[in-house]
Amino acid sequence: VNSRTVTVVFFLGGPGSGKGTQSANLVKNYSFVHLSAGDLLRAEQVREGSSRGAMIKEYITEGKIVPMEVTVNLLSDAMAESLVSNPPPAGSKARFLIDGFPRKLDQAEFFEASVCPSELVLFLDCPEDVMESRLLKRGETSGRDDDNAASIRKRFRTFVETSMPVVEAFRKEDKVVTVKATGSVDEVYESVKAGIEARGL
Ligand code: UP5
Ligand code: MG
């Protein structure tokens, strides 16, 4: 995996800002392979015989960030697997939309040095009250360990203290496209499309 054969877009935004929802649209229309770090961690958590399962569950419920070796390994394995099972047409690059990662400065540096630098960072900007009501509603049916009021509060705190600095660092590199995430799913998607097309993706 390297930037000659792969284009990486990081998709960031607070808990419940709509990363997963918008990713589904982007996969359909822009031939991205969607990799959600959270989904990969949840799959690893329940994988049979995974000794890391209990550890991952604890981090997720507490809204803390899982040690980056675990997450970067899951992501780079998933990228390598996708390149084998679903190779891009000759002469074109595979496009990965990496959702919910990196959430901490050292993860961003480690991934870009050891796997692949990112081309662009899409950032969904959403106020906490909107995210909170979306997550509490989803929590009625999602079964996610972290869709409850106590975990949501912790996730918000981690996002502000630890993950926003990642967005700010990428902003200094002029890599960030910020999209207001409060409208309807379709309205947000129109802004997402405009944002990435303005960057020639
Ligand atoms: N919804 C979405 N868009 C809407 C809209 N425009 N209008 C109205 N409703 C809208 O959406 C959330 C809910 O809102 C859904 O019900 C949706 O229908 C509705 P979703 O698209 O799921 O938002 P998303 O941003 O993906 O929210 P998610 O809860 O997945 O965000 P998180 O960032 O909190 O979760 P993630 O899975 O990425 O991470 C979970 C945990 O894993 C982290 O807290 C952390 O503990 C761990 N983790 C790491 O340690 N390291 C990593 O690198 C990644 C994760
Ligand atoms: Mg998600």
Side-chain angles (χ1 to χ4, degrees), residues 10 37 41 65-69 71-72 100-114 162-163 166 170:
F10 290 140
L41 287 166
I65 295 164
V66 174
M68 69 172 165
E69 293 74 17
T71 315
V72 173
F101 175 95
R103 300 172 104 93
K104 202 174 167 185
L105 278 171
D106 64 347
Q107 297 186 331
E109 286 155 16
F110 182 64
F111 183 94
E112 293 206 311
S114 66
T162 311
S163 302
V166 177
F170 282 129

Side-chain angles (χ1 to χ4, degrees), residues 37-38 40-41 44 51-76 100-108 110-111 158 162:
L40 289 168
L41 287 166
E44 178 69 11
S51 56
R52 298 192 288 222
M55 181 272 278
I56 293 172
K57 184 186 169 86
E58 163 85 14
Y59 276 93
I60 287 181
T61 308
E62 290 301 313
K64 289 196 217 144
I65 295 164
V66 174
M68 69 172 165
E69 293 74 17
V70 175
T71 315
V72 173
N73 264 322
L74 290 170
L75 283 169
S76 63
F101 175 95
R103 300 172 104 93
K104 202 174 167 185
L105 278 171
D106 64 347
Q107 297 186 331
F110 182 64
F111 183 94
T158 301
T162 311

Side-chain angles (χ1 to χ4, degrees), residues 13-22 36-39 41-42 56 59-67 71 75 99-103 107 124 130-131 134-135 137-138 144 146-147 155 158 181-186 188:
S17 58
K19 302 181 293 296
T21 304
Q22 297 298 330
S36 157
D39 288 349
L41 287 166
R42 283 183 287 275
I56 293 172
Y59 276 93
I60 287 181
T61 308
E62 290 301 313
K64 289 196 217 144
I65 295 164
V66 174
T71 315
L75 283 169
D99 156 357
F101 175 95
R103 300 172 104 93
Q107 297 186 331
L124 288 182
V130 174
M131 298 195 288
R134 288 180 185 172
L135 291 174
K137 178 144 182 288
R138 188 180 67 187
R144 268 178 59 161
D146 58 352
D147 279 348
R155 290 157 73 190
T158 301
T182 45
S184 69
V185 172
D186 290 344
V188 175

Side-chain angles (χ1 to χ4, degrees), residues 2 4-7 31-33 79-96:
N2 64 62
R4 276 176 287 121
T5 54
V6 156
T7 299
S31 63
F32 276 109
V33 175
M79 290 170 78
E81 237 166 70
S82 166
L83 288 170
V84 171
S85 65
N86 180 25
S92 59
K93 292 182 175 186
R95 292 144 72 84
F96 289 100

